[in-house]
């Protein structure tokens, strides 16, 4: 019933990506501009993922596992770059290493056929992003940035990441651990709603942020 919603996710990414391009004047450095790059990267992945099976006859897990590796690594690096305390930045580095190791362990686990969803790497990555995001929020709330945190594009982008990944992780684990049959209609509906919430956060960040808070 809701399977068609899966194909509309790319339009959400296109909308936030276009608004991001129009907001480039408020994104002063490469760190801020990288948010737009990541969104357009997701657009490319959605296109390739949609046609991958048609082109190759293979399931598109290759595409989405690659996207998961690149995007979560980028999220961790981004949030780490925003952290001020040395111990917090060190924690960010360690979580990045942990995620990379988990990803390659997943490849070894599925070495006969890597065309599977790397759910354990995904879980490790999401938990890592959640923890260092909390460190970022703690730093904000313990500084004078708390007065203007809503004017930062980084706050809204990180919120969008969390809004998508925090609910999606237990949903995927439930399918994997409890062997719940994946209903494509429900799966597409959940994906669309979470993408809608995430891209709404990105768009608010681009529109509402101010240049002086985006360094």
């Amino acid at each position: 019933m809701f399977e068609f919603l899966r194909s509309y996710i790319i339009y959400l990414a296109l909308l936030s990506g276009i608004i991001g391009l129009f907001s480039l004047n408020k994104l002063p450095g490469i760190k801020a501009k990288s948010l737009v790059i990541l969104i357009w990267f997701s657009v490319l992945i959605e296109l390739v993922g949609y046609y991958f099976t048609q082109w190759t006859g293979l399931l598109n897990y290759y595409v989405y596992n690659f996207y998961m590796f690149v995007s979560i690594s980028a999220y961790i690096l981004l949030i780490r770059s925003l952290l001020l305390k040395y111990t917090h930045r060190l924690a960010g580095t360690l979580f990045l290493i942990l995620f990379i190791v988990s990803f390659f362990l997943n490849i070894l686990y599925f070495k006969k056929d890597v065309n599977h969803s790397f759910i354990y790497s995904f879980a490790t990555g999401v938990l890592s992003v959640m923890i260092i995001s909390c460190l970022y929020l703690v730093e904000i709330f313990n500084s004078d940035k708390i007065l203007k945190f809503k004017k930062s594009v980084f706050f809204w982008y990180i919120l969008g990441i969390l809004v998508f990944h925090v609910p999606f992780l237990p949903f995927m684990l439930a399918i994997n651990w409890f062997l719940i049959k994946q209903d494509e209609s429900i799966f597409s509906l959940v994906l669309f709603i979470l993408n809608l919430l995430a891209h709404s956060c990105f768009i608010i960040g681009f529109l509402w942020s101010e240049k002086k808070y985006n360094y």
Side-chain angles (χ1 to χ4, degrees):
M1 184 177 178
F2 297 108
E3 293 90 342
F4 70 96
L5 288 175
R6 183 84 177 264
S7 61
Y8 284 92
I9 292 172
I10 191 170
Y11 297 110
L12 298 175
L14 278 170
L15 178 61
S16 60
I18 290 169
I19 293 174
L21 289 176
F22 281 109
S23 304
L24 283 177
N25 63 307
K26 294 196 293 184
L27 308 175
I30 186 63
K31 187 163 58 178
K33 287 181 173 61
S34 68
L35 308 184
V36 181
I37 293 171
L38 284 170
I39 291 172
W40 280 101
F41 179 62
S42 72
V43 172
L44 176 63
I45 289 296
E46 285 296 331
L47 279 172
V48 174
Y50 186 80
Y51 291 107
F52 185 78
T53 301
Q54 205 174 305
W55 292 338
T56 66
L58 301 171
L59 296 175
N60 58 15
Y61 288 119
Y62 290 113
V63 177
Y64 289 107
N65 285 333
F66 171 73
Y67 175 65
M68 182 263 292
F69 177 73
V70 173
S71 61
I72 290 182
S73 296
Y75 299 155
I76 295 173
L77 285 170
L78 171 68
I79 300 168
R80 181 190 176 281
S81 72
L82 298 171
L83 297 172
L84 300 176
K85 290 187 177 181
Y86 171 77
T87 52
H88 292 173
R89 292 171 69 90
L90 179 61
T93 302
L94 294 175
F95 280 122
L96 177 61
I97 294 170
L98 176 64
F99 170 66
I100 292 172
V101 169
S102 74
F103 185 83
F104 285 100
L105 285 176
N106 248 171
I107 291 176
L108 289 174
Y109 181 76
F110 289 124
K111 59 185 176 181
K112 291 184 179 179
D113 180 11
V114 295
N115 200 15
H116 292 79
S117 177
F118 286 7
I119 185 64
Y120 296 114
S121 295
F122 179 69
T124 302
V126 171
L127 291 173
S128 298
V129 169
M130 286 171 57
I131 293 170
I132 62 172
S133 295
C134 288
L135 297 178
Y136 167 71
L137 294 174
V138 166
E139 288 191 1
I140 285 180
F141 295 144
N142 287 330
S143 71
D144 56 2
K145 291 181 180 178
I146 191 171
L147 300 174
K148 296 290 184 179
F149 71 94
K150 292 180 182 178
K151 297 294 184 180
S152 169
V153 71
F154 299 114
F155 168 78
W156 288 103
Y157 191 83
I158 292 170
L159 181 62
I161 291 170
L162 294 176
V163 160
F164 177 85
H165 288 88
V166 173
F168 191 59
L169 177 59
F171 177 69
M172 290 299 294
L173 289 177
I175 292 173
N176 189 70
W177 286 352
F178 302 111
L179 302 178
I180 298 172
K181 185 178 179 181
Q182 182 173 315
D183 185 310
E184 282 302 318
S185 181
I186 294 174
F187 188 76
S188 295
L189 178 63
V190 169
L191 264 184
F192 180 81
I193 291 173
L194 295 181
N195 272 281
L196 176 63
L197 293 173
H199 286 287
S200 296
C201 290
F202 301 159
I203 291 169
I204 291 171
F206 291 137
L207 297 177
W208 202 349
S209 67
E210 295 179 9
K211 185 174 181 178
K212 62 181 177 180
Y213 300 111
N214 291 340
Y215 285 93

